[in-house]
Amino acid sequence: MDIINFRYLTTIVFTSIFGVFGIYHLLSYLVLRHKITLYYFILILGLTLHWILSLIIKGSYSNQVILIADKATLTTAMISTFGLLMFTKSYLNITINNRPTLSKIYKVITLIIVCLPILHILNNVITKIEWLNSSLIMLAAFIALSTALLSLFSGIRLYKDEKFNKYYLYSYTPYLLASILYVGAWFTKKYYNVDGDLIILLTSILVTFQLILFSILVGYKYKSIEDNTIKIQVDANSKLITEVEKQTKHLQVAKQELEYKNEELEKVNKLKNKLFSLLTHDVRGPLNNVGTIMEMIESQLAESELKEITKKLKNEVTDRISMVNVLLDWSYNQLEGVTLDKKICDLEILFTSIKKEFKRMANEKGIDIELAISCRELLIDENMLKVILRNLTSNALKFSEKGQKIILSSKCVSDIVEIGVKDFGLGMNTDWQNTSESNGVPTVRQGTVGEKGTGFGLMITKDFVEMNGGTISCKSEINKGTEFILSFKTATNEQVAP
């Protein structure tokens, strides 16, 4: 076998070795997704392409092909250099946060490595300036050697930072020697026409040895990363378990305190409601008696100023009795908790009952209560609906002028029953719900003849409507009247109580 065949054969052998290493680390990256294997693959890819170009240059190809291959060697050399630079940076964990100066140096060299092949290709394709081509080749050789030295310096600088950094420094020796030998051989062959085949063979052996060392080193690095990850996970899990147990104990204590406070609040609330109901009940009786006595006195008095005063006093007492009745109804529901007794209610009978109940009050002001019933049945708690209509009718009478009218209506709209109470009196603020909720207490207003409206009736009305699954809305214009509309689902959409 002559010397030419031997050189050709050795180039094929080393190219195959580099290719196998490259495929192995590419597959490792695709499986493990660690950037360090990707950069190592780029390093090996550059070496493999470089040796493939050597095969072309040494083979029996046309001068044009050999020339192109020779020009492309700068690009493949920069690919290897880029791979080495990024592999070192990733392996030694050099970042802008922990090593700002070193990281900036790496960025500058990376930029030069990326730009050099682009400038080289553009010069060979467009400008074709020979001295610029030579300068770029010299710069590429210098950058390749600088990268090797920078990697060595980084290994020395970060020798004690991590356990595996010192192994990187030891295993880096063959590559450093190979880089120096290869650049030296290329330089002497390029400019002094010295045969550097023996040096290139030695370089190939050193690079192969380097690849083996790096592969072993990467394997140990993975194991170290895996062990650290497991340790971090175990520590995190332990801390999490401790924190969860701690928070669980706090929550248990807080739960016990909350349950105790709820029990105390429930006792206080029940006591408050009982006292409220007793007081309301005890006040209602005497007020009813006072009202009856006032009516008797008024009937015995002749037309005079005293009779007018007595009449106003009687109206005041009547208003107070109405308010106490409302509060008593509400307090009874609060006393033992709300329990609805829903059933089908005949609205015509109920409206007629309300009209009779307020007949005397309406007659005194010359107000006519009209009934407009087009929907007769509604599934609702009848007692609550009576309280609702009493409150709204009472308010309508208070705020209506003499000779006006009030309309109690019901109509069916799709699957909704709408109940309306409409007057043509003073009108009101339609935002009464939000005003009452923000103030905590209702607003006191005066009726057309001095009656006092406390606003409690509207608050209780809203509660009772919502308890029965309905909604309440208000339309009003000052001095033109007010209309309250209550909307409830029809009996077909709810289950009737047994």
Side-chain angles (χ1 to χ4, degrees):
M1 182 183 291
D2 58 25
I3 188 67
I4 297 176
N5 292 334
F6 177 75
R7 284 161 48 193
Y8 196 78
L9 179 62
T10 54
T11 305
I12 293 175
V13 169
F14 286 112
T15 302
S16 302
I17 292 172
F18 298 156
V20 170
F21 272 100
I23 293 170
Y24 170 76
H25 286 286
L26 176 61
L27 293 175
S28 299
Y29 169 71
L30 294 176
V31 173
L32 300 173
R33 294 291 176 180
H34 284 297
K35 285 186 178 180
I36 190 172
T37 51
L38 175 62
Y39 297 140
Y40 195 35
F41 163 71
I42 295 173
L43 166 62
I44 299 172
L45 175 66
L47 290 173
T48 307
L49 292 175
H50 202 71
W51 255 253
I52 289 173
L53 292 178
S54 296
L55 284 174
I56 295 173
I57 293 170
K58 296 172 184 177
S60 301
Y61 297 95
S62 65
N63 292 334
Q64 184 68 24
V65 172
I66 293 173
L67 179 63
I68 293 172
D70 185 55
K71 298 291 185 183
T73 54
L74 183 143
T75 301
T76 56
M78 289 300 97
I79 292 174
S80 297
T81 305
F82 175 80
L84 174 64
L85 191 71
M86 298 308 294
F87 172 78
T88 304
K89 184 180 178 184
S90 178
Y91 185 93
L92 298 177
N93 192 28
I94 298 171
T95 66
I96 194 67
N97 295 322
N98 59 8
R99 302 290 171 185
T101 304
L102 201 56
S103 178
K104 289 176 182 177
I105 294 172
Y106 271 79
K107 283 185 179 180
V108 171
I109 295 180
T110 302
L111 183 62
I112 296 172
I113 290 171
V114 172
C115 291
L116 270 175
I118 298 173
L119 293 174
H120 185 250
I121 292 170
L122 290 175
N123 180 58
N124 282 291
V125 173
I126 300 173
T127 56
K128 297 180 181 180
I129 301 172
E130 190 59 35
W131 66 264
L132 179 59
N133 189 62
S134 300
S135 299
L136 291 173
I137 292 172
M138 286 294 294
L139 181 59
F142 174 75
I143 290 297
L145 187 58
S146 298
T147 300
L149 294 173
L150 178 62
S151 299
L152 177 64
F153 170 78
S154 300
I156 296 171
R157 180 71 177 80
L158 306 176
Y159 182 81
K160 295 182 180 180
D161 276 24
E162 291 185 22
K163 175 183 176 182
F164 283 90
N165 285 7
K166 59 183 179 181
Y167 300 129
Y168 173 84
L169 190 61
Y170 299 153
S171 63
Y172 185 73
T173 305
Y175 190 87
L176 178 64
L177 292 174
S179 298
I180 295 171
L181 287 173
Y182 186 81
V183 172
W186 172 84
F187 185 78
T188 54
K189 186 177 180 181
K190 186 79 175 175
Y191 292 97
Y192 298 101
N193 199 25
V194 176
D195 188 4
D197 288 340
L198 182 61
I199 297 176
I200 292 174
L201 176 61
L202 182 60
T203 300
S204 301
I205 295 171
L206 287 171
V207 169
T208 303
F209 183 54
Q210 172 68 63
L211 294 179
I212 295 172
L213 289 177
F214 267 1
S215 297
I216 295 171
L217 193 62
V218 168
Y220 278 110
K221 181 77 171 180
Y222 280 153
K223 188 176 184 306
S224 174
I225 292 172
E226 219 173 279
D227 292 343
N228 288 336
T229 303
I230 293 172
K231 185 176 181 301
I232 291 170
Q233 188 66 42
V234 170
D235 291 342
N237 288 341
S238 299
K239 290 180 181 178
L240 183 60
I241 290 170
T242 304
E243 186 64 25
V244 168
E245 289 176 351
K246 181 181 177 182
Q247 293 298 328
T248 301
K249 289 179 181 178
H250 288 167
L251 286 174
Q252 288 174 345
V253 172
K255 181 186 175 185
Q256 291 174 356
E257 292 179 356
L258 184 60
E259 288 175 350
Y260 174 76
K261 288 180 180 178
N262 284 339
E263 289 175 1
E264 292 298 313
L265 285 172
E266 189 175 351
K267 290 177 183 178
V268 171
N269 195 46
K270 284 184 178 180
L271 178 60
K272 177 201 70 176
N273 289 329
K274 286 179 181 178
L275 290 173
F276 182 72
S277 296
L278 290 172
L279 287 171
T280 308
H281 187 271
D282 289 345
V283 168
R284 181 170 64 170
L287 282 176
N288 281 327
N289 294 335
V290 171
T292 303
I293 292 171
M294 294 303 300
E295 285 184 4
M296 292 173 61
I297 293 173
E298 183 186 4
S299 63
Q300 297 299 321
L301 290 174
E303 291 295 333
S304 64
E305 186 178 350
L306 181 60
K307 184 171 183 176
E308 189 66 29
I309 294 172
T310 305
K311 185 177 179 179
K312 289 184 178 180
L313 184 58
K314 183 197 71 172
N315 289 338
E316 288 285 338
V317 172
T318 302
D319 289 342
R320 298 291 80 74
I321 291 172
S322 177
M323 185 186 73
V324 169
N325 284 333
V326 168
L327 291 175
L328 185 59
D329 286 330
W330 178 75
S331 66
Y332 278 148
N333 281 279
Q334 297 294 318
L335 183 61
E336 299 296 340
V338 177
T339 54
L340 297 179
D341 182 20
K342 286 190 175 184
K343 59 184 179 181
I344 298 297
C345 174
D346 190 320
L347 296 179
E348 185 173 2
I349 295 174
L350 184 60
F351 281 16
T352 303
S353 171
I354 295 296
K355 181 176 180 179
K356 288 180 181 178
E357 188 174 334
F358 287 93
K359 183 178 180 180
R360 181 189 60 78
M361 191 176 188
N363 289 339
E364 288 178 355
K365 296 184 76 170
I367 294 174
D368 184 26
I369 299 178
E370 294 182 3
L371 305 181
I373 302 168
S374 60
C375 187
R376 292 195 52 161
E377 292 186 344
L378 175 61
L379 178 63
I380 197 168
D381 186 310
E382 188 171 345
N383 290 328
M384 285 191 177
L385 183 56
K386 285 180 181 178
V387 174
I388 291 168
L389 291 176
R390 283 195 196 106
N391 291 336
L392 295 178
T393 305
S394 174
N395 282 346
L397 286 168
K398 287 177 186 176
F399 301 110
S400 293
E401 301 285 356
K402 290 185 178 182
Q404 292 181 335
K405 67 178 179 178
I406 295 170
I407 302 173
L408 304 182
S409 64
S410 69
K411 63 179 180 179
C412 297
V413 181
S414 184
D415 60 344
I416 299 295
V417 177
E418 288 188 354
I419 295 176
V421 178
K422 185 175 183 180
D423 66 64
F424 300 87
L426 300 179
M428 65 177 291
N429 176 19
T430 56
D431 196 33
W432 60 273
Q433 297 183 56
N434 295 332
T435 303
S436 298
E437 289 173 2
S438 61
N439 294 338
V441 293
T443 304
V444 178
R445 296 177 65 208
Q446 282 196 342
T448 54
V449 292
E451 310 100 317
K452 288 185 180 178
T454 62
F456 276 111
L458 286 181
M459 292 177 68
I460 295 166
T461 295
K462 178 178 178 291
D463 287 344
F464 281 9
V465 169
E466 291 175 352
M467 287 177 195
N468 283 273
T471 59
I472 182 171
S473 61
C474 176
K475 299 177 182 178
S476 183
E477 289 186 51
I478 301 300
N479 297 323
K480 289 187 179 181
T482 301
E483 181 180 13
F484 281 92
I485 300 173
L486 318 176
S487 301
F488 301 96
K489 290 184 179 179
T490 59
T492 56
N493 294 313
E494 294 197 37
Q495 186 177 354
V496 179

